[in-house]
Amino acid sequence: AQSVTQLGSHVSVSEGALVLLRCNYSSSVPPYLFWYVQYPNQGLQLLLKYTTGATLVKGINGFEAEFKKSETSFHLTKPSAHMSDAAEYFCAVSEGNFNKFYFGSGTKLNVKP
Amino acid sequence: GAVVSQHPSRVICKSGTSVKIECRSLDFQATTMFWYRQFPKQSLMLMATSNEGSKATYEQGVEKDKFLINHASLTLSTLTVTSAHPEDSSFYICSATGGPGYEQYFGPGTRLTVT
């Protein structure tokens, strides 16, 4: 069975600082991994995904994530935070065929001026 | 890119009434649609999986008689919350996929408030 753990329900960074949002997963099969962003009262927007191939994936808005199989992690990073990055971020895993997504509990990112 | 819409975006209904939420794939045929529920400050919980032309598969703990799902065409799935109660107030999000191996695309969500 798949599960996702996001450490830190709230993360606060200063504008221009590094953003690091943590995600660990468990999966009995090779996972597909995703990061989504959600703004208040809106749906999910895909930031990036890992399916196969290169373990460092780049997404929109300057975000990237690295799949580390040995650590069962897929942490999201951005070198320099912008005020517009303030939102809630969800890590998700699927069973390798895009069906049945399992979401983490989410991390709310606050960006201070 | 693939677009999924939901209607309405917000709905307020009185306790005891039923409300229907539509999920449409606008530019692709969705053989499978998923319905999620999101409580305030919480993550998305999968409620059910629906395949076009067949009965929905509900996750454990989800009342199928309360949350009626219909996937009558390759572009439309509906979720009907029957005899709604205030505890059904939530954010409902659908997603759609062209089938196994195809990516899921998420709708913008529907905010249901039951008074």
Side-chain angles (χ1 to χ4, degrees), chain A residues 36 38 41-44 46 49 90 97-101 103-105 108, chain B residues 10 34 36 38 42-44 59 91 93 100-104 106-108 111:
Chain A
Y36 286 88
Q38 185 181 36
N41 292 310
Q42 294 187 28
L44 301 179
L46 180 66
K49 65 184 177 188
F90 291 95
N97 61 359
F98 295 115
N99 280 339
K100 278 225 176 181
F101 276 42
F103 286 87
S105 54
K108 194 164 188 178
Chain B
R10 289 176 175 268
F34 303 85
Y36 297 84
Q38 185 180 29
Q42 294 187 30
S43 188
L44 283 74
E59 295 297 300
F91 195 53
I93 300 176
Y102 289 84
E103 191 164 338
Q104 281 193 38
F106 287 81
R111 172 74 59 193

PDB file of all heavy atoms in Angstrom, chain A residues 36 38 41-44 46 49 90 97-101 103-105 108, chain B residues 10 34 36 38 42-44 59 91 93 100-104 106-108 111:
ATOM      1  N   TYR A  36       1.906  19.028  -5.963  1.00  0.00           N
ATOM      2  CA  TYR A  36       0.853  19.933  -6.399  1.00  0.00           C
ATOM      3  C   TYR A  36       0.844  21.152  -5.480  1.00  0.00           C
ATOM      4  O   TYR A  36       1.190  21.070  -4.305  1.00  0.00           O
ATOM      5  CB  TYR A  36      -0.517  19.266  -6.313  1.00  0.00           C
ATOM      6  CG  TYR A  36      -0.779  18.236  -7.380  1.00  0.00           C
ATOM      7  CD1 TYR A  36      -0.411  16.907  -7.185  1.00  0.00           C
ATOM      8  CD2 TYR A  36      -1.410  18.579  -8.573  1.00  0.00           C
ATOM      9  CE1 TYR A  36      -0.656  15.955  -8.172  1.00  0.00           C
ATOM     10  CE2 TYR A  36      -1.656  17.638  -9.556  1.00  0.00           C
ATOM     11  CZ  TYR A  36      -1.273  16.331  -9.342  1.00  0.00           C
ATOM     12  OH  TYR A  36      -1.513  15.396 -10.321  1.00  0.00           O
ATOM     13  N   GLN A  38      -1.760  24.300  -4.106  1.00  0.00           N
ATOM     14  CA  GLN A  38      -3.164  24.699  -4.012  1.00  0.00           C
ATOM     15  C   GLN A  38      -3.249  26.071  -3.377  1.00  0.00           C
ATOM     16  O   GLN A  38      -2.784  26.280  -2.261  1.00  0.00           O
ATOM     17  CB  GLN A  38      -3.955  23.685  -3.190  1.00  0.00           C
ATOM     18  CG  GLN A  38      -5.449  23.983  -3.145  1.00  0.00           C
ATOM     19  CD  GLN A  38      -6.226  22.982  -2.305  1.00  0.00           C
ATOM     20  OE1 GLN A  38      -5.736  22.510  -1.291  1.00  0.00           O
ATOM     21  NE2 GLN A  38      -7.439  22.652  -2.728  1.00  0.00           N
ATOM     22  N   ASN A  41      -9.179  28.075  -1.860  1.00  0.00           N
ATOM     23  CA  ASN A  41     -10.433  27.846  -2.571  1.00  0.00           C
ATOM     24  C   ASN A  41     -10.235  27.522  -4.044  1.00  0.00           C
ATOM     25  O   ASN A  41     -11.103  27.807  -4.876  1.00  0.00           O
ATOM     26  CB  ASN A  41     -11.360  29.058  -2.425  1.00  0.00           C
ATOM     27  CG  ASN A  41     -11.844  29.215  -1.003  1.00  0.00           C
ATOM     28  OD1 ASN A  41     -12.319  28.266  -0.397  1.00  0.00           O
ATOM     29  ND2 ASN A  41     -11.686  30.399  -0.463  1.00  0.00           N
ATOM     30  N   GLN A  42      -9.102  26.949  -4.355  1.00  0.00           N
ATOM     31  CA  GLN A  42      -8.854  26.527  -5.731  1.00  0.00           C
ATOM     32  C   GLN A  42      -8.475  25.059  -5.781  1.00  0.00           C
ATOM     33  O   GLN A  42      -8.216  24.439  -4.750  1.00  0.00           O
ATOM     34  CB  GLN A  42      -7.741  27.385  -6.352  1.00  0.00           C
ATOM     35  CG  GLN A  42      -8.111  28.842  -6.536  1.00  0.00           C
ATOM     36  CD  GLN A  42      -7.057  29.600  -7.305  1.00  0.00           C
ATOM     37  OE1 GLN A  42      -6.328  29.039  -8.123  1.00  0.00           O
ATOM     38  NE2 GLN A  42      -6.955  30.889  -7.057  1.00  0.00           N
ATOM     39  N   GLY A  43      -8.462  24.512  -6.968  1.00  0.00           N
ATOM     40  CA  GLY A  43      -8.066  23.125  -7.146  1.00  0.00           C
ATOM     41  C   GLY A  43      -6.561  22.969  -7.123  1.00  0.00           C
ATOM     42  O   GLY A  43      -5.829  23.871  -6.715  1.00  0.00           O
ATOM     43  N   LEU A  44      -6.121  21.845  -7.557  1.00  0.00           N
ATOM     44  CA  LEU A  44      -4.696  21.526  -7.526  1.00  0.00           C
ATOM     45  C   LEU A  44      -4.026  21.869  -8.842  1.00  0.00           C
ATOM     46  O   LEU A  44      -4.568  21.604  -9.909  1.00  0.00           O
ATOM     47  CB  LEU A  44      -4.503  20.033  -7.266  1.00  0.00           C
ATOM     48  CG  LEU A  44      -5.092  19.476  -5.985  1.00  0.00           C
ATOM     49  CD1 LEU A  44      -4.837  17.994  -5.901  1.00  0.00           C
ATOM     50  CD2 LEU A  44      -4.518  20.188  -4.782  1.00  0.00           C
ATOM     51  N   LEU A  46      -0.492  21.120 -10.908  1.00  0.00           N
ATOM     52  CA  LEU A  46       0.691  20.272 -10.916  1.00  0.00           C
ATOM     53  C   LEU A  46       1.951  21.122 -11.017  1.00  0.00           C
ATOM     54  O   LEU A  46       2.091  21.941 -11.917  1.00  0.00           O
ATOM     55  CB  LEU A  46       0.632  19.300 -12.096  1.00  0.00           C
ATOM     56  CG  LEU A  46       1.810  18.347 -12.245  1.00  0.00           C
ATOM     57  CD1 LEU A  46       1.859  17.361 -11.078  1.00  0.00           C
ATOM     58  CD2 LEU A  46       1.711  17.588 -13.568  1.00  0.00           C
ATOM     59  N   LYS A  49       6.439  16.251 -11.663  1.00  0.00           N
ATOM     60  CA  LYS A  49       6.177  14.837 -11.436  1.00  0.00           C
ATOM     61  C   LYS A  49       7.415  14.017 -11.781  1.00  0.00           C
ATOM     62  O   LYS A  49       8.238  14.424 -12.621  1.00  0.00           O
ATOM     63  CB  LYS A  49       5.003  14.365 -12.287  1.00  0.00           C
ATOM     64  CG  LYS A  49       5.291  14.437 -13.781  1.00  0.00           C
ATOM     65  CD  LYS A  49       4.073  14.055 -14.595  1.00  0.00           C
ATOM     66  CE  LYS A  49       4.380  14.203 -16.094  1.00  0.00           C
ATOM     67  NZ  LYS A  49       3.176  14.024 -16.931  1.00  0.00           N
ATOM     68  N   PHE A  90       1.112  19.902  -1.765  1.00  0.00           N
ATOM     69  CA  PHE A  90       0.795  18.507  -1.497  1.00  0.00           C
ATOM     70  C   PHE A  90       1.707  17.592  -2.310  1.00  0.00           C
ATOM     71  O   PHE A  90       1.864  17.773  -3.519  1.00  0.00           O
ATOM     72  CB  PHE A  90      -0.656  18.188  -1.865  1.00  0.00           C
ATOM     73  CG  PHE A  90      -1.670  18.845  -0.970  1.00  0.00           C
ATOM     74  CD1 PHE A  90      -2.247  20.052  -1.336  1.00  0.00           C
ATOM     75  CD2 PHE A  90      -2.033  18.268   0.232  1.00  0.00           C
ATOM     76  CE1 PHE A  90      -3.181  20.668  -0.525  1.00  0.00           C
ATOM     77  CE2 PHE A  90      -2.970  18.872   1.056  1.00  0.00           C
ATOM     78  CZ  PHE A  90      -3.540  20.073   0.684  1.00  0.00           C
ATOM     79  N   ASN A  97       0.685   3.891 -12.358  1.00  0.00           N
ATOM     80  CA  ASN A  97      -0.125   3.969 -13.562  1.00  0.00           C
ATOM     81  C   ASN A  97      -1.069   5.159 -13.530  1.00  0.00           C
ATOM     82  O   ASN A  97      -2.060   5.179 -14.239  1.00  0.00           O
ATOM     83  CB  ASN A  97      -0.924   2.682 -13.752  1.00  0.00           C
ATOM     84  CG  ASN A  97      -1.867   2.426 -12.598  1.00  0.00           C
ATOM     85  OD1 ASN A  97      -1.915   3.203 -11.654  1.00  0.00           O
ATOM     86  ND2 ASN A  97      -2.622   1.370 -12.661  1.00  0.00           N
ATOM     87  N   PHE A  98      -0.748   6.137 -12.730  1.00  0.00           N
ATOM     88  CA  PHE A  98      -1.520   7.366 -12.578  1.00  0.00           C
ATOM     89  C   PHE A  98      -2.887   7.145 -11.942  1.00  0.00           C
ATOM     90  O   PHE A  98      -3.655   8.077 -11.824  1.00  0.00           O
ATOM     91  CB  PHE A  98      -1.715   8.091 -13.919  1.00  0.00           C
ATOM     92  CG  PHE A  98      -0.440   8.592 -14.518  1.00  0.00           C
ATOM     93  CD1 PHE A  98       0.019   8.081 -15.717  1.00  0.00           C
ATOM     94  CD2 PHE A  98       0.305   9.567 -13.896  1.00  0.00           C
ATOM     95  CE1 PHE A  98       1.199   8.533 -16.283  1.00  0.00           C
ATOM     96  CE2 PHE A  98       1.489  10.034 -14.461  1.00  0.00           C
ATOM     97  CZ  PHE A  98       1.933   9.515 -15.663  1.00  0.00           C
ATOM     98  N   ASN A  99      -3.209   5.943 -11.572  1.00  0.00           N
ATOM     99  CA  ASN A  99      -4.476   5.734 -10.892  1.00  0.00           C
ATOM    100  C   ASN A  99      -4.283   5.817  -9.393  1.00  0.00           C
ATOM    101  O   ASN A  99      -3.193   5.644  -8.888  1.00  0.00           O
ATOM    102  CB  ASN A  99      -5.061   4.366 -11.270  1.00  0.00           C
ATOM    103  CG  ASN A  99      -5.745   4.419 -12.612  1.00  0.00           C
ATOM    104  OD1 ASN A  99      -6.117   5.483 -13.081  1.00  0.00           O
ATOM    105  ND2 ASN A  99      -5.910   3.274 -13.227  1.00  0.00           N
ATOM    106  N   LYS A 100      -5.320   6.076  -8.679  1.00  0.00           N
ATOM    107  CA  LYS A 100      -5.319   6.103  -7.220  1.00  0.00           C
ATOM    108  C   LYS A 100      -4.154   6.896  -6.652  1.00  0.00           C
ATOM    109  O   LYS A 100      -3.111   6.341  -6.313  1.00  0.00           O
ATOM    110  CB  LYS A 100      -5.293   4.677  -6.663  1.00  0.00           C
ATOM    111  CG  LYS A 100      -6.646   4.025  -6.611  1.00  0.00           C
ATOM    112  CD  LYS A 100      -6.842   3.326  -5.294  1.00  0.00           C
ATOM    113  CE  LYS A 100      -8.220   2.741  -5.186  1.00  0.00           C
ATOM    114  NZ  LYS A 100      -8.444   2.080  -3.895  1.00  0.00           N
ATOM    115  N   PHE A 101      -4.374   8.165  -6.542  1.00  0.00           N
ATOM    116  CA  PHE A 101      -3.400   9.032  -5.916  1.00  0.00           C
ATOM    117  C   PHE A 101      -3.570   8.983  -4.400  1.00  0.00           C
ATOM    118  O   PHE A 101      -4.677   9.003  -3.882  1.00  0.00           O
ATOM    119  CB  PHE A 101      -3.608  10.480  -6.375  1.00  0.00           C
ATOM    120  CG  PHE A 101      -2.951  10.802  -7.693  1.00  0.00           C
ATOM    121  CD1 PHE A 101      -3.003   9.924  -8.751  1.00  0.00           C
ATOM    122  CD2 PHE A 101      -2.291  12.001  -7.870  1.00  0.00           C
ATOM    123  CE1 PHE A 101      -2.401  10.234  -9.961  1.00  0.00           C
ATOM    124  CE2 PHE A 101      -1.692  12.318  -9.076  1.00  0.00           C
ATOM    125  CZ  PHE A 101      -1.748  11.436 -10.132  1.00  0.00           C
ATOM    126  N   PHE A 103      -2.396  11.217  -1.180  1.00  0.00           N
ATOM    127  CA  PHE A 103      -1.848  12.533  -0.895  1.00  0.00           C
ATOM    128  C   PHE A 103      -1.267  12.612   0.503  1.00  0.00           C
ATOM    129  O   PHE A 103      -1.781  11.994   1.440  1.00  0.00           O
ATOM    130  CB  PHE A 103      -2.936  13.600  -1.036  1.00  0.00           C
ATOM    131  CG  PHE A 103      -3.302  13.902  -2.463  1.00  0.00           C
ATOM    132  CD1 PHE A 103      -4.263  13.162  -3.123  1.00  0.00           C
ATOM    133  CD2 PHE A 103      -2.667  14.929  -3.143  1.00  0.00           C
ATOM    134  CE1 PHE A 103      -4.593  13.435  -4.434  1.00  0.00           C
ATOM    135  CE2 PHE A 103      -2.991  15.205  -4.463  1.00  0.00           C
ATOM    136  CZ  PHE A 103      -3.954  14.444  -5.106  1.00  0.00           C
ATOM    137  N   GLY A 104      -0.227  13.399   0.645  1.00  0.00           N
ATOM    138  CA  GLY A 104       0.263  13.746   1.962  1.00  0.00           C
ATOM    139  C   GLY A 104      -0.676  14.742   2.615  1.00  0.00           C
ATOM    140  O   GLY A 104      -1.636  15.213   1.993  1.00  0.00           O
ATOM    141  N   SER A 105      -0.385  15.089   3.842  1.00  0.00           N
ATOM    142  CA  SER A 105      -1.265  15.959   4.610  1.00  0.00           C
ATOM    143  C   SER A 105      -1.100  17.430   4.262  1.00  0.00           C
ATOM    144  O   SER A 105      -1.868  18.260   4.718  1.00  0.00           O
ATOM    145  CB  SER A 105      -1.031  15.756   6.110  1.00  0.00           C
ATOM    146  OG  SER A 105       0.349  15.925   6.398  1.00  0.00           O
ATOM    147  N   LYS A 108       1.822  24.027   4.437  1.00  0.00           N
ATOM    148  CA  LYS A 108       1.491  25.406   4.114  1.00  0.00           C
ATOM    149  C   LYS A 108       2.760  26.237   4.153  1.00  0.00           C
ATOM    150  O   LYS A 108       3.443  26.283   5.178  1.00  0.00           O
ATOM    151  CB  LYS A 108       0.465  25.948   5.096  1.00  0.00           C
ATOM    152  CG  LYS A 108      -0.180  27.242   4.664  1.00  0.00           C
ATOM    153  CD  LYS A 108      -1.444  27.515   5.452  1.00  0.00           C
ATOM    154  CE  LYS A 108      -2.196  28.712   4.893  1.00  0.00           C
ATOM    155  NZ  LYS A 108      -3.454  28.962   5.621  1.00  0.00           N
TER     156      LYS A 108
ATOM    157  N   ARG B  10     -19.293  26.946  -6.229  1.00  0.00           N
ATOM    158  CA  ARG B  10     -19.752  27.066  -4.845  1.00  0.00           C
ATOM    159  C   ARG B  10     -21.245  26.786  -4.806  1.00  0.00           C
ATOM    160  O   ARG B  10     -21.976  27.162  -5.722  1.00  0.00           O
ATOM    161  CB  ARG B  10     -19.534  28.494  -4.309  1.00  0.00           C
ATOM    162  CG  ARG B  10     -18.111  28.881  -4.057  1.00  0.00           C
ATOM    163  CD  ARG B  10     -18.042  30.343  -3.623  1.00  0.00           C
ATOM    164  NE  ARG B  10     -16.688  30.716  -3.257  1.00  0.00           N
ATOM    165  CZ  ARG B  10     -16.200  30.648  -2.029  1.00  0.00           C
ATOM    166  NH1 ARG B  10     -16.969  30.218  -1.055  1.00  0.00           N
ATOM    167  NH2 ARG B  10     -14.955  31.004  -1.775  1.00  0.00           N
ATOM    168  N   PHE B  34     -12.241  10.427 -10.722  1.00  0.00           N
ATOM    169  CA  PHE B  34     -12.082  10.236  -9.284  1.00  0.00           C
ATOM    170  C   PHE B  34     -12.731  11.401  -8.548  1.00  0.00           C
ATOM    171  O   PHE B  34     -12.665  12.536  -9.009  1.00  0.00           O
ATOM    172  CB  PHE B  34     -10.600  10.176  -8.904  1.00  0.00           C
ATOM    173  CG  PHE B  34      -9.817   9.102  -9.612  1.00  0.00           C
ATOM    174  CD1 PHE B  34      -9.287   9.327 -10.870  1.00  0.00           C
ATOM    175  CD2 PHE B  34      -9.608   7.877  -9.015  1.00  0.00           C
ATOM    176  CE1 PHE B  34      -8.569   8.342 -11.530  1.00  0.00           C
ATOM    177  CE2 PHE B  34      -8.884   6.883  -9.657  1.00  0.00           C
ATOM    178  CZ  PHE B  34      -8.363   7.114 -10.921  1.00  0.00           C
ATOM    179  N   TYR B  36     -12.716  13.366  -4.830  1.00  0.00           N
ATOM    180  CA  TYR B  36     -12.004  13.565  -3.580  1.00  0.00           C
ATOM    181  C   TYR B  36     -12.785  14.537  -2.702  1.00  0.00           C
ATOM    182  O   TYR B  36     -13.529  15.385  -3.183  1.00  0.00           O
ATOM    183  CB  TYR B  36     -10.615  14.165  -3.837  1.00  0.00           C
ATOM    184  CG  TYR B  36      -9.669  13.301  -4.632  1.00  0.00           C
ATOM    185  CD1 TYR B  36      -9.704  13.295  -6.023  1.00  0.00           C
ATOM    186  CD2 TYR B  36      -8.726  12.506  -3.989  1.00  0.00           C
ATOM    187  CE1 TYR B  36      -8.821  12.512  -6.762  1.00  0.00           C
ATOM    188  CE2 TYR B  36      -7.843  11.724  -4.716  1.00  0.00           C
ATOM    189  CZ  TYR B  36      -7.900  11.733  -6.096  1.00  0.00           C
ATOM    190  OH  TYR B  36      -7.026  10.960  -6.821  1.00  0.00           O
ATOM    191  N   GLN B  38     -12.039  17.230   0.579  1.00  0.00           N
ATOM    192  CA  GLN B  38     -11.003  17.898   1.346  1.00  0.00           C
ATOM    193  C   GLN B  38     -11.634  18.709   2.464  1.00  0.00           C
ATOM    194  O   GLN B  38     -12.368  19.667   2.208  1.00  0.00           O
ATOM    195  CB  GLN B  38     -10.156  18.811   0.444  1.00  0.00           C
ATOM    196  CG  GLN B  38      -8.974  19.441   1.153  1.00  0.00           C
ATOM    197  CD  GLN B  38      -8.162  20.339   0.249  1.00  0.00           C
ATOM    198  OE1 GLN B  38      -8.682  20.929  -0.697  1.00  0.00           O
ATOM    199  NE2 GLN B  38      -6.870  20.458   0.527  1.00  0.00           N
ATOM    200  N   GLN B  42      -6.943  20.193   5.698  1.00  0.00           N
ATOM    201  CA  GLN B  42      -6.559  18.784   5.593  1.00  0.00           C
ATOM    202  C   GLN B  42      -6.274  18.406   4.139  1.00  0.00           C
ATOM    203  O   GLN B  42      -6.463  19.204   3.224  1.00  0.00           O
ATOM    204  CB  GLN B  42      -7.650  17.882   6.159  1.00  0.00           C
ATOM    205  CG  GLN B  42      -7.869  18.036   7.645  1.00  0.00           C
ATOM    206  CD  GLN B  42      -8.827  17.002   8.194  1.00  0.00           C
ATOM    207  OE1 GLN B  42      -8.912  15.879   7.683  1.00  0.00           O
ATOM    208  NE2 GLN B  42      -9.554  17.364   9.232  1.00  0.00           N
ATOM    209  N   SER B  43      -5.818  17.184   3.985  1.00  0.00           N
ATOM    210  CA  SER B  43      -5.459  16.734   2.646  1.00  0.00           C
ATOM    211  C   SER B  43      -6.678  16.207   1.896  1.00  0.00           C
ATOM    212  O   SER B  43      -7.783  16.193   2.418  1.00  0.00           O
ATOM    213  CB  SER B  43      -4.404  15.637   2.759  1.00  0.00           C
ATOM    214  OG  SER B  43      -3.908  15.321   1.479  1.00  0.00           O
ATOM    215  N   LEU B  44      -6.447  15.795   0.663  1.00  0.00           N
ATOM    216  CA  LEU B  44      -7.511  15.227  -0.147  1.00  0.00           C
ATOM    217  C   LEU B  44      -7.675  13.754   0.193  1.00  0.00           C
ATOM    218  O   LEU B  44      -6.699  12.999   0.261  1.00  0.00           O
ATOM    219  CB  LEU B  44      -7.182  15.345  -1.637  1.00  0.00           C
ATOM    220  CG  LEU B  44      -7.375  16.704  -2.284  1.00  0.00           C
ATOM    221  CD1 LEU B  44      -6.284  17.670  -1.878  1.00  0.00           C
ATOM    222  CD2 LEU B  44      -7.394  16.563  -3.803  1.00  0.00           C
ATOM    223  N   GLU B  59     -14.398   4.070  -1.679  1.00  0.00           N
ATOM    224  CA  GLU B  59     -13.390   3.780  -0.676  1.00  0.00           C
ATOM    225  C   GLU B  59     -14.071   3.392   0.633  1.00  0.00           C
ATOM    226  O   GLU B  59     -15.239   3.736   0.882  1.00  0.00           O
ATOM    227  CB  GLU B  59     -12.480   4.994  -0.464  1.00  0.00           C
ATOM    228  CG  GLU B  59     -11.658   5.342  -1.695  1.00  0.00           C
ATOM    229  CD  GLU B  59     -10.686   4.251  -2.106  1.00  0.00           C
ATOM    230  OE1 GLU B  59      -9.809   3.897  -1.283  1.00  0.00           O
ATOM    231  OE2 GLU B  59     -10.806   3.762  -3.240  1.00  0.00           O
ATOM    232  N   PHE B  91     -14.936  20.675   0.647  1.00  0.00           N
ATOM    233  CA  PHE B  91     -14.463  21.034  -0.698  1.00  0.00           C
ATOM    234  C   PHE B  91     -14.348  19.725  -1.469  1.00  0.00           C
ATOM    235  O   PHE B  91     -13.644  18.811  -1.034  1.00  0.00           O
ATOM    236  CB  PHE B  91     -13.106  21.742  -0.578  1.00  0.00           C
ATOM    237  CG  PHE B  91     -12.658  22.473  -1.815  1.00  0.00           C
ATOM    238  CD1 PHE B  91     -13.474  23.397  -2.431  1.00  0.00           C
ATOM    239  CD2 PHE B  91     -11.394  22.254  -2.344  1.00  0.00           C
ATOM    240  CE1 PHE B  91     -13.052  24.099  -3.557  1.00  0.00           C
ATOM    241  CE2 PHE B  91     -10.968  22.950  -3.478  1.00  0.00           C
ATOM    242  CZ  PHE B  91     -11.792  23.867  -4.073  1.00  0.00           C
ATOM    243  N   ILE B  93     -13.370  17.761  -4.930  1.00  0.00           N
ATOM    244  CA  ILE B  93     -12.528  17.899  -6.111  1.00  0.00           C
ATOM    245  C   ILE B  93     -12.617  16.624  -6.945  1.00  0.00           C
ATOM    246  O   ILE B  93     -12.569  15.521  -6.396  1.00  0.00           O
ATOM    247  CB  ILE B  93     -11.055  18.154  -5.736  1.00  0.00           C
ATOM    248  CG1 ILE B  93     -10.916  19.438  -4.921  1.00  0.00           C
ATOM    249  CG2 ILE B  93     -10.173  18.223  -6.973  1.00  0.00           C
ATOM    250  CD1 ILE B  93      -9.503  19.707  -4.435  1.00  0.00           C
ATOM    251  N   PRO B 100      -5.710   3.781 -17.579  1.00  0.00           N
ATOM    252  CA  PRO B 100      -4.456   3.337 -16.963  1.00  0.00           C
ATOM    253  C   PRO B 100      -3.250   3.793 -17.778  1.00  0.00           C
ATOM    254  O   PRO B 100      -3.213   3.630 -18.996  1.00  0.00           O
ATOM    255  CB  PRO B 100      -4.586   1.811 -16.974  1.00  0.00           C
ATOM    256  CG  PRO B 100      -6.054   1.563 -16.944  1.00  0.00           C
ATOM    257  CD  PRO B 100      -6.646   2.664 -17.773  1.00  0.00           C
ATOM    258  N   GLY B 101      -2.313   4.368 -17.108  1.00  0.00           N
ATOM    259  CA  GLY B 101      -1.130   4.876 -17.781  1.00  0.00           C
ATOM    260  C   GLY B 101      -1.255   6.312 -18.226  1.00  0.00           C
ATOM    261  O   GLY B 101      -0.258   6.924 -18.626  1.00  0.00           O
ATOM    262  N   TYR B 102      -2.437   6.852 -18.158  1.00  0.00           N
ATOM    263  CA  TYR B 102      -2.656   8.244 -18.522  1.00  0.00           C
ATOM    264  C   TYR B 102      -2.733   9.088 -17.253  1.00  0.00           C
ATOM    265  O   TYR B 102      -3.237   8.654 -16.229  1.00  0.00           O
ATOM    266  CB  TYR B 102      -3.941   8.411 -19.336  1.00  0.00           C
ATOM    267  CG  TYR B 102      -3.841   7.840 -20.726  1.00  0.00           C
ATOM    268  CD1 TYR B 102      -4.064   6.495 -20.967  1.00  0.00           C
ATOM    269  CD2 TYR B 102      -3.492   8.662 -21.794  1.00  0.00           C
ATOM    270  CE1 TYR B 102      -3.956   5.967 -22.243  1.00  0.00           C
ATOM    271  CE2 TYR B 102      -3.392   8.145 -23.070  1.00  0.00           C
ATOM    272  CZ  TYR B 102      -3.625   6.807 -23.294  1.00  0.00           C
ATOM    273  OH  TYR B 102      -3.509   6.291 -24.557  1.00  0.00           O
ATOM    274  N   GLU B 103      -2.283  10.315 -17.369  1.00  0.00           N
ATOM    275  CA  GLU B 103      -2.193  11.185 -16.218  1.00  0.00           C
ATOM    276  C   GLU B 103      -3.563  11.644 -15.738  1.00  0.00           C
ATOM    277  O   GLU B 103      -4.496  11.775 -16.521  1.00  0.00           O
ATOM    278  CB  GLU B 103      -1.344  12.404 -16.579  1.00  0.00           C
ATOM    279  CG  GLU B 103      -0.950  13.257 -15.406  1.00  0.00           C
ATOM    280  CD  GLU B 103       0.176  14.180 -15.773  1.00  0.00           C
ATOM    281  OE1 GLU B 103       0.912  13.904 -16.733  1.00  0.00           O
ATOM    282  OE2 GLU B 103       0.301  15.213 -15.096  1.00  0.00           O
ATOM    283  N   GLN B 104      -3.666  11.900 -14.428  1.00  0.00           N
ATOM    284  CA  GLN B 104      -4.877  12.492 -13.862  1.00  0.00           C
ATOM    285  C   GLN B 104      -4.810  14.000 -13.970  1.00  0.00           C
ATOM    286  O   GLN B 104      -3.771  14.607 -13.727  1.00  0.00           O
ATOM    287  CB  GLN B 104      -5.024  12.124 -12.385  1.00  0.00           C
ATOM    288  CG  GLN B 104      -5.568  10.742 -12.119  1.00  0.00           C
ATOM    289  CD  GLN B 104      -5.978  10.570 -10.681  1.00  0.00           C
ATOM    290  OE1 GLN B 104      -6.522  11.500 -10.063  1.00  0.00           O
ATOM    291  NE2 GLN B 104      -5.761   9.393 -10.134  1.00  0.00           N
ATOM    292  N   PHE B 106      -6.874  17.452 -12.547  1.00  0.00           N
ATOM    293  CA  PHE B 106      -7.778  17.822 -11.467  1.00  0.00           C
ATOM    294  C   PHE B 106      -8.655  19.004 -11.838  1.00  0.00           C
ATOM    295  O   PHE B 106      -8.210  19.945 -12.513  1.00  0.00           O
ATOM    296  CB  PHE B 106      -6.975  18.149 -10.204  1.00  0.00           C
ATOM    297  CG  PHE B 106      -6.401  16.929  -9.540  1.00  0.00           C
ATOM    298  CD1 PHE B 106      -5.236  16.355 -10.007  1.00  0.00           C
ATOM    299  CD2 PHE B 106      -7.057  16.338  -8.472  1.00  0.00           C
ATOM    300  CE1 PHE B 106      -4.705  15.222  -9.404  1.00  0.00           C
ATOM    301  CE2 PHE B 106      -6.545  15.206  -7.860  1.00  0.00           C
ATOM    302  CZ  PHE B 106      -5.370  14.641  -8.329  1.00  0.00           C
ATOM    303  N   GLY B 107      -9.888  18.959 -11.356  1.00  0.00           N
ATOM    304  CA  GLY B 107     -10.783  20.083 -11.514  1.00  0.00           C
ATOM    305  C   GLY B 107     -10.511  21.140 -10.466  1.00  0.00           C
ATOM    306  O   GLY B 107      -9.728  20.921  -9.536  1.00  0.00           O
ATOM    307  N   PRO B 108     -11.165  22.298 -10.583  1.00  0.00           N
ATOM    308  CA  PRO B 108     -10.914  23.413  -9.667  1.00  0.00           C
ATOM    309  C   PRO B 108     -11.612  23.282  -8.329  1.00  0.00           C
ATOM    310  O   PRO B 108     -11.369  24.089  -7.432  1.00  0.00           O
ATOM    311  CB  PRO B 108     -11.455  24.617 -10.431  1.00  0.00           C
ATOM    312  CG  PRO B 108     -12.526  24.041 -11.292  1.00  0.00           C
ATOM    313  CD  PRO B 108     -12.064  22.667 -11.668  1.00  0.00           C
ATOM    314  N   ARG B 111     -17.025  24.088  -3.574  1.00  0.00           N
ATOM    315  CA  ARG B 111     -17.202  24.327  -2.138  1.00  0.00           C
ATOM    316  C   ARG B 111     -18.662  24.135  -1.795  1.00  0.00           C
ATOM    317  O   ARG B 111     -19.514  24.878  -2.273  1.00  0.00           O
ATOM    318  CB  ARG B 111     -16.760  25.749  -1.789  1.00  0.00           C
ATOM    319  CG  ARG B 111     -17.083  26.177  -0.367  1.00  0.00           C
ATOM    320  CD  ARG B 111     -16.186  25.550   0.652  1.00  0.00           C
ATOM    321  NE  ARG B 111     -14.793  25.875   0.413  1.00  0.00           N
ATOM    322  CZ  ARG B 111     -13.790  25.245   1.023  1.00  0.00           C
ATOM    323  NH1 ARG B 111     -14.032  24.264   1.870  1.00  0.00           N
ATOM    324  NH2 ARG B 111     -12.548  25.591   0.770  1.00  0.00           N
TER     325      ARG B 111
END
